[in-house]
Amino acid sequence: MPTEAKRETVAELRAELASSRTLIVSEYRGLKVGEIAEIRRALRKQDVRYRVVKNRLIRIAAADTVGEALSPLLIGPTAIAFGTDEAATAKAVIDATRPYKLVKITGAVLGDRAIGAADVVTLAGLPPREVLLAKLAGAIQSPTATFAGLLGANLRNLGNALVQVRDQRAQVVA
C-alpha cells in the first residue's frame, strides 16, 4: 500500500514530466551527497532540474506519458535532468557532470522518443535552438535577397546608361 509521501512524490514527478520536453537519465553510483548538490546547483543556473528518483516511482509517474521510452533507461541508481530545450539541456548536463567521472549518462527521452548516451553527447554539441532557427531563416531568405539584387541590378544599369547618354548629348550640344 503506497504511503502519502510516495503519492506526493509521484504527483511531483508527473508535474515535472508534464513541464519538460527533455529528460536526461544518468547513473550516479558512487557520488557523495555534496557532489550531487553541486551538480544540482550548476544545472539550476541553466534552468535544468536534477532529481535523484526511485525507478519504481518514476515508472508509475511516467506510465501514461513517456513510460515506454523511459523504462529501458531506468537501471541502477537513477538521477534525471528535466529541461525544456533539448540541446541546451544536454550540454548543461554534460558540462555539470564532466568533473565527476562516476556519473554515467545512460540515455535521454526527447518528447516521447528515447535516445542513447552517444546521441546525448552529439546533441550537446549542437548550437541552441534559436541559433539553428536563425540559420534556417537566413538560408531561406538568402535566395530571395539575391534575386531582388539581380532585379535591382538591371534597373541600376539602365539608370547608369541613361546618365551616360545624357552626359554625351550635353557634351555634343556644348
Side-chain angles (χ1 to χ4, degrees):
M1 185 153 200
T3 64
E4 187 61 33
K6 288 181 182 178
R7 284 190 194 117
E8 288 176 11
T9 302
V10 168
E12 289 172 11
L13 288 171
R14 279 192 179 126
E16 291 218 51
L17 287 169
S19 67
S20 302
R21 285 194 334 213
T22 307
L23 308 173
I24 303 205
V25 182
S26 59
E27 185 178 321
Y28 65 93
R29 189 184 319 258
L31 284 183
K32 297 176 182 157
V33 174
E35 294 170 333
I36 293 174
E38 288 177 28
I39 292 172
R40 278 192 184 118
R41 273 193 293 277
L43 290 175
R44 198 174 303 127
K45 292 176 186 174
Q46 303 294 323
D47 204 23
V48 176
R49 294 167 312 282
Y50 191 71
R51 287 189 67 165
V52 172
V53 294
K54 290 189 177 217
N55 292 342
R56 184 169 170 269
L57 296 181
I58 191 70
R59 278 191 182 105
I60 292 169
D64 55 345
T65 55
V66 295
E68 291 179 21
L70 186 60
S71 287
L73 302 174
L74 300 175
I75 299 169
T78 304
I80 300 179
F82 298 89
T84 54
D85 185 8
E86 295 88 359
T89 302
K91 182 168 177 26
V93 171
I94 296 287
D95 290 345
T97 59
R98 184 170 288 134
Y100 307 101
K101 302 296 182 201
L102 298 174
V103 176
K104 177 185 167 207
I105 294 177
T106 56
V109 177
L110 308 176
D112 60 349
R113 185 172 163 255
I115 63 172
D119 295 330
V120 173
V121 173
T122 303
L123 183 63
L126 290 176
R129 182 181 196 90
E130 292 79 21
V131 173
L132 290 174
L133 290 174
K135 286 182 178 182
L136 176 65
I140 291 171
Q141 185 262 345
S142 177
T144 307
T146 303
F147 184 67
L150 290 173
L151 291 178
N154 287 335
L155 291 175
R156 277 191 309 277
N157 291 342
L158 176 63
N160 289 337
L162 291 175
V163 167
Q164 288 175 358
V165 168
R166 182 195 67 198
D167 292 344
Q168 284 177 352
R169 291 201 175 168
Q171 288 177 354
V172 170
V173 174

